[in-house]
């Protein structure tokens, strides 16, 4: 390196540069500390706490983080030590070392070994992340998952094949949830927007679709992300032990109001879920009946020569299954 002797170097710019570097470093550190308020955990991303698959993802993440931290601090430690301990000194000629076969083979094997272990642990845990368990005995009574048309897509099933199969439909800028009702006609199914109400102790199998652009379903405490892609069906599952509320958000930039596309899962006891489902059904039926009545009145008015009354903007329950088409 061609370095100017210290005595000849201009002192001012050097100090200024040092001050600049220190300020930059402080600003970076400060912004990192402040940024945690916007995210979730300090050390690891928000994950786990709601469902076993999310727990496993979280465990795997922390495991890899720990190994990576040991490697990082080990390497950086040796680097810093060497930089300080063996820094350039006047008239000192450093030891000229050309390779060290034992050391080189050692760290190559060490790195390969770490990767092997991480890969094995990941594949072992992946099984529990992808495959749902059965519902508990006191969970909500569920049907067998029926095959969806996409035979090629991987649909995780509990060992006994039974789960509450809910369709999650991403649409700008809201999530629509369709509950099964036992018949083949999806147009008369119970549905809800924004909040996905589910029973605890029950395996919930989600069929994820999108009807306009790509969205992404993600409730960090209940599992990994599942993309909602138009023309493709995706699957994921979760099983909540205790009643609670779990929040998430569309994780795929889908347009101007992407940030408003919140997702919420409310888990309640199976009995409470049954009541909720029945009430929702009644509410939808009542709204459908009211809408039907209004349409009839309007068509009578039109027939009688009156101008049709302004259409009331449709609320969620008054648009029965019109958006089912995807
Ligand atoms: Cu979206």
């Amino acid at each position: 390196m061609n370095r100017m002797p210290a005595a000849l170097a201009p002192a001012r710019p050097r100090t200024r540069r040092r001050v600049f570097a220190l300020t930059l470093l402080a600003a970076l550190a400060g912004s990192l500390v402040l940024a945690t308020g916007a995210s979730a955990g300090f050390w690891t991303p928000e994950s786990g706490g709601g469902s076993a698959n999310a727990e496993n993802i979280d465990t795997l993440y922390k495991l890899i983080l720990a190994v990576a931290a040991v490697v990082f601090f080990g390497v950086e430690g040796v680097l810093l030590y060497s930089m300080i301990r063996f820094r350039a000194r006047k008239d000192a000629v450093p030891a000229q070392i050309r390779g060290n076969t034992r050391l080189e083979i050692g760290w190559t094997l060490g790195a390969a070994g770490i990767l092997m272990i991480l890969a094995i642990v990941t594949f072992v845990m992946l099984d529990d992340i992808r495959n749902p368990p059965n519902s508990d005995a006191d969970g909500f009574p569920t049907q067998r998952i029926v095959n969806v048309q996409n035979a090629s897509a991987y649909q995780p099933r509990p060992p006994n094949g039974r789960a509450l199969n809910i369709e999650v439909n991403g649409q700008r800028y809201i999530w629509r949830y369709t509950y099964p009702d036992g018949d083949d006609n999806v147009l008369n199914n119970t549905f809800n927007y924004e909040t996905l109400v589910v029973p605890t102790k029950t395996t919930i199998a989600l069929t994820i679709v999108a009807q306009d652009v790509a969205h992404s379903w993600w409730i960090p405490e209940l599992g990994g992300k599942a993309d909602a892609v138009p023309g493709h069906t995706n699957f994921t599952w979760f099983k909540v032990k205790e009643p609670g509320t779990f929040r998430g958000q569309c994780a795929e930039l889908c347009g101007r109001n992407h940030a408003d596309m919140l997702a919420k899962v409310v888990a309640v006891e199976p009995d409470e879920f049954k009541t909720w489902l029945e009430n929702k059904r009644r509410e939808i039926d009542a709204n459908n009946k009211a809408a039907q009545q209004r349409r009839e009145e309007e068509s009578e008015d039109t027939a009688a020569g009156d101008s049709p009354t302004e259409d009331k903007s449709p609320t969620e329950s008054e648009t029965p299954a019109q958006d089912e088409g995807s």
Side-chain angles (χ1 to χ4, degrees):
M1 234 206 281
N2 235 343
R3 228 198 264 154
M4 203 184 282
L8 295 178
R12 273 278 172 75
R14 208 184 211 192
T15 344
R16 228 180 280 159
R17 230 179 293 156
R18 197 172 286 175
V19 169
F20 176 73
L22 280 176
T23 316
L24 193 70
L25 209 68
L28 267 176
S31 61
L32 276 178
V33 168
L34 290 177
T36 53
S39 63
F42 189 86
W43 296 111
T44 61
E46 180 188 18
S47 177
S51 181
N53 49 349
E55 291 292 342
N56 282 329
I57 292 173
D58 192 51
T59 307
L60 205 50
Y61 184 94
K62 283 175 179 154
L63 201 82
I64 293 171
L65 181 71
V67 173
V70 170
V71 172
F72 176 81
F73 286 111
V75 170
E76 293 303 308
V78 171
L79 183 69
L80 283 176
Y81 171 80
S82 308
M83 278 163 66
I84 294 163
R85 175 81 176 75
F86 304 108
R87 67 186 181 278
R89 286 197 192 86
K90 251 186 199 169
D91 304 328
V93 177
Q96 305 296 307
I97 300 165
R98 300 231 177 276
N100 184 322
T101 313
R102 249 196 239 170
L103 214 56
E104 283 162 21
I105 289 175
W107 66 54
T108 305
L109 286 182
I114 291 173
L115 282 181
M116 282 282 283
I117 291 167
L118 286 183
I120 290 168
V121 171
T122 302
F123 277 103
V124 167
M125 291 185 73
L126 209 54
D127 227 33
D128 282 345
I129 291 171
R130 284 159 61 105
N131 302 319
N134 287 335
S135 295
D136 294 356
D138 53 348
F140 186 74
T142 52
Q143 302 164 336
R144 261 173 205 290
I145 304 180
V146 280
N147 247 332
V148 289
Q149 279 175 331
N150 263 13
S152 62
Y154 173 79
Q155 180 168 30
R157 288 160 187 279
N160 67 2
R162 289 175 177 279
L164 183 64
N165 193 192
I166 301 172
E167 189 197 80
V168 175
N169 184 330
Q171 29 190 282
R172 292 200 276 189
Y173 297 95
I174 202 162
W175 295 102
R176 185 191 203 269
Y177 312 107
T178 310
Y179 294 82
D181 63 355
D183 64 27
D184 285 342
N185 180 12
V186 289
L187 296 182
N188 61 12
N189 285 29
T190 304
F191 61 90
N192 196 32
Y193 281 91
E194 283 180 350
T195 303
L196 173 59
V197 181
V198 295
T200 53
K201 302 166 198 147
T202 309
T203 303
I204 313 290
L206 298 181
T207 299
I208 296 169
V209 295
Q211 79 175 37
D212 36 39
V213 298
H215 301 276
S216 186
W217 169 258
W218 191 30
I219 308 279
E221 286 170 287
L222 299 182
K225 279 180 206 162
D227 281 350
V229 182
H232 177 80
T233 305
N234 232 337
F235 306 96
T236 188
W237 68 275
F238 63 81
K239 183 179 164 188
V240 181
K241 249 185 262 167
E242 299 292 327
T245 302
F246 308 94
R247 289 170 200 282
Q249 189 161 7
C250 175
E252 180 79 49
L253 182 60
C254 56
R256 200 171 50 172
N257 292 344
H258 164 67
D260 296 332
M261 199 162 160
L262 305 173
K264 188 163 91 174
V265 174
V266 173
V268 296
E269 293 289 350
D271 285 346
E272 207 179 319
F273 173 74
K274 191 166 168 276
T275 315
W276 177 85
L277 202 62
E278 286 164 0
N279 287 342
K280 194 75 205 170
R281 182 71 258 163
R282 268 197 287 277
E283 186 191 319
I284 291 171
D285 287 344
N287 281 330
N288 280 345
K289 217 171 275 173
Q292 176 67 22
Q293 207 169 357
R294 206 162 50 237
R295 273 196 293 273
E296 279 165 14
E297 280 167 18
E298 278 165 11
S299 63
E300 276 166 24
D301 288 351
T302 320
D306 293 347
S307 65
T309 44
E310 271 291 298
D311 237 19
K312 206 182 144 222
S313 65
T315 64
E316 57 176 65
S317 305
E318 286 168 338
T319 49
Q322 276 170 359
D323 37 21
E324 204 74 54
S326 68

